[in-house]
Amino acid sequence: MRTARLFTMTANAAGEAALAFFLARGVRVDVRDVGKDEEASLELFNLAGRRAVPTVVIDERGFLGFAENREEIESLLREPR
C-alpha cells in the first residue's frame, strides 16, 4: 500500500479534498500540518522552496497543489510499485 505525505494547514479546503481523495482510494496518508508543526513547515520549505499547501509527496515525488496535479497523482497511484 502506498503512502502519501500531505502538507496542509487546518481549514485548507484543497488539503481536505486531497485527504478525502486518498482515503477513498485506500492510500495511507501522513498528514503534516505546517501551521501547527514547525518541523513539518521546515521540511516543506526544504522540499518546495516555499510553504505552499497543499503539497503532496508520493514515492519522493512532490506535487505543489492538488487539483492541478490530480490526474498525474491518479496516474502515479495506478503504476505498479
Side-chain angles (χ1 to χ4, degrees), residues 9-49:
M9 297 177 77
T10 301
N12 179 271
E16 291 172 8
L19 179 59
F21 168 88
F22 290 122
L23 293 177
R25 286 157 179 78
V27 176
R28 280 183 283 165
V29 185
D30 177 10
V31 179
R32 301 186 183 189
D33 188 330
V34 300
K36 295 180 179 177
D37 183 345
E38 190 174 318
E39 187 176 312
S41 183
L42 180 60
E43 182 181 359
L44 175 57
F45 187 81
N46 287 334
L47 285 169

Side-chain angles (χ1 to χ4, degrees), residues 1-8 15 17-33 43 47 54-63 65-66 73-74 76-77 81:
M1 179 183 294
R2 282 212 159 105
T3 300
R5 279 184 287 162
L6 174 61
F7 294 89
T8 190
L19 179 59
F21 168 88
F22 290 122
L23 293 177
R25 286 157 179 78
V27 176
R28 280 183 283 165
V29 185
D30 177 10
V31 179
R32 301 186 183 189
D33 188 330
E43 182 181 359
L47 285 169
T55 292
V56 175
V57 179
I58 303 170
D59 298 339
E60 301 309 313
R61 189 161 169 204
F63 301 91
F66 174 68
I73 291 169
E74 284 182 302
L76 178 61
L77 292 175
R81 291 180 62 160

